[in-house]
Amino acid sequence: MNLDDPRFLAGLERLRRISVATSAARQRGGLLGAVKRVGLGWLPD
C-alpha cells in the first residue's frame, strides 16, 4: 500500500468528508437527516 499515492490520500479525504457530513445529518435528526445520511455515500470524488 502506497500511502503517498494521491489517489489514496483523495480516498481518505472523501471518507473524512462523508464522516463529517454523516455526523452532522445524525445530529440534525428526523426524516431529512436520515435521507441525507443515506445519500452521503454518493458524494462525488
Side-chain angles (χ1 to χ4, degrees):
M1 182 181 318
N2 182 0
L3 301 179
D4 294 325
D5 189 327
R7 294 172 296 178
F8 178 75
L9 296 175
L12 286 179
E13 176 58 22
R14 181 173 185 267
L15 289 174
R16 187 194 66 77
R17 286 193 329 259
I18 291 171
S19 176
V20 168
T22 300
S23 180
R26 190 176 308 273
Q27 287 178 347
R28 179 182 180 105
L31 181 60
L32 186 56
V35 169
K36 284 187 176 186
R37 282 196 317 265
V38 168
L40 289 174
W42 297 99
L43 286 178
D45 291 335

